[in-house]
Amino acid sequence: MSTANIRFIGGGNMATSLIAGLIADGYAPHAIQVSDPSPERRQALQAGFGVRALADNVEALAEAETLVLCVKPQLAASVCAELAPLLSDRRPLIVSVMAGVPERTIQRWLGAPLPIVRAMPNTPAMVQTGAIGLHAGPEVDAEGRNRAETILRAVGLVRWVEEESHIDAVTAISGSGPAYFFLFMEALEQAAIDLGLDGETARLLTIQTALGAAKMAMESADPPARLREQVTSPGGTTERALAVFDEADLRALVERAARAARDRAVELSKTLSEAP
């Protein structure tokens, strides 16, 4: 793996996951630096991964070839303003995992048309099973795309989208998606308890069933519709249960939910793009 220097601004959960994934993939700890205002977090990063952790964002930029912005969106403008004077000449690749912050807004805050890859990871990235959408701005060359993909691939599956607006759809599907599955698991677990199973049995059967279904869908060449049909015997228990979902128009409800999440992502992006 390349040893290009990577600098993380922000050392929270997503940065920690990315660092863990990179090191597990063979990336050299000495090539990674991270800045974070929390002494406890810096100590944990240094002790856990052998990377250098700093309190100062500007000091962390030394020799940066790739800069990964992992700060909260509400802090993004001030952090970018702090970094801007040092970036116009160095022009590192910027990888942003800041939710809802458009590429042009980041460039405006940084004061230069820098190469930016915008990433939308999700929380399963914390256990290296993330689903991540990426979009590259026009300033990003093939080497920059490869570098960004290498970093994000360390924590899960990566897919590129052609239009930046599609990141809002990624947000609605994989960004928010874990919560949808958790809600269904929560409901199924409660249904199992209501049917008489004890809580631990209900929980474990629900989780393992979700894991098994996802694994089958990932490893099979068949689409989910075909896998569903294979489980559904005519006149059987599964058919009876699915009929209840159809009666409630589950598909339309899921589409409405996804559109609502996408629309909210668009609203948040617009708000941040208008920030000074």
Side-chain angles (χ1 to χ4, degrees):
M1 179 178 285
S2 167
T3 56
N5 292 321
I6 301 176
R7 303 296 183 251
F8 287 85
I9 305 298
N13 289 335
M14 190 53 63
T16 299
S17 299
L18 289 168
I19 291 168
L22 285 166
I23 290 175
D25 274 359
Y27 213 95
H30 66 75
I32 299 172
Q33 288 187 16
V34 56
S35 62
D36 194 275
S38 167
E40 294 80 11
R41 192 168 289 161
R42 293 197 303 272
Q43 183 177 7
L45 289 164
Q46 291 182 158
F49 305 111
V51 301
R52 188 179 182 204
L54 307 166
D56 187 272
N57 291 334
V58 173
E59 185 181 357
L61 283 180
E63 301 178 355
E65 295 171 85
T66 304
L67 184 65
V68 185
L69 297 176
C70 293
V71 300
K72 295 182 184 300
Q74 58 267 33
L75 301 176
S78 60
V79 169
C80 288
E82 180 185 14
L83 302 176
L86 299 176
L87 294 179
S88 57
D89 293 333
R90 186 169 299 153
R91 295 184 60 80
L93 173 69
I94 308 292
V95 178
S96 169
V97 295
M98 301 184 298
V101 185
E103 293 159 17
R104 288 194 176 186
T105 300
I106 298 172
Q107 289 181 331
R108 175 163 58 83
W109 289 341
L110 292 175
L114 297 169
I116 294 176
V117 171
R118 187 175 167 193
M120 183 63 235
N122 62 1
T123 54
M126 293 189 284
V127 289
Q128 280 73 58
T129 52
I132 303 116
L134 295 179
H135 177 264
E139 296 81 8
V140 180
D141 58 18
E143 192 277 332
R145 288 172 66 99
N146 182 65
R147 205 187 316 167
E149 182 170 334
T150 297
I151 294 171
L152 275 301
R153 201 171 55 232
V155 293
L157 178 147
V158 170
R159 298 292 295 179
W160 289 91
V161 297
E162 293 302 317
E163 303 291 335
E164 187 181 4
S165 62
H166 292 165
I167 288 290
D168 295 320
V170 173
T171 301
I173 301 305
S174 60
S176 299
Y180 313 157
F181 287 101
F182 292 145
L183 175 61
F184 190 84
M185 291 164 66
E186 180 185 349
L188 192 61
E189 180 181 335
Q190 185 59 54
I193 293 171
D194 292 342
L195 291 172
L197 296 180
D198 66 87
E200 184 66 6
T201 298
R203 174 179 177 273
L204 291 176
L205 288 179
T206 296
I207 293 171
Q208 185 66 22
T209 300
L211 176 64
K215 186 174 176 63
M216 287 183 68
M218 181 63 78
E219 296 181 358
S220 175
D222 292 329
R226 178 61 183 146
L227 296 175
R228 172 181 52 77
E229 291 169 357
Q230 291 170 357
V231 182
T232 310
S233 301
T237 59
T238 307
E239 184 181 66
R240 181 72 64 86
L242 293 177
V244 176
F245 289 137
D246 287 341
E247 184 180 353
D249 205 355
L250 177 64
R251 296 171 188 272
L253 187 62
V254 170
E255 182 179 359
R256 281 175 52 202
R259 286 186 179 276
R262 189 278 311 273
D263 292 348
R264 181 56 177 157
V266 172
E267 291 172 4
L268 292 171
S269 292
K270 183 177 180 181
T271 298
L272 287 167
S273 68
E274 294 172 352

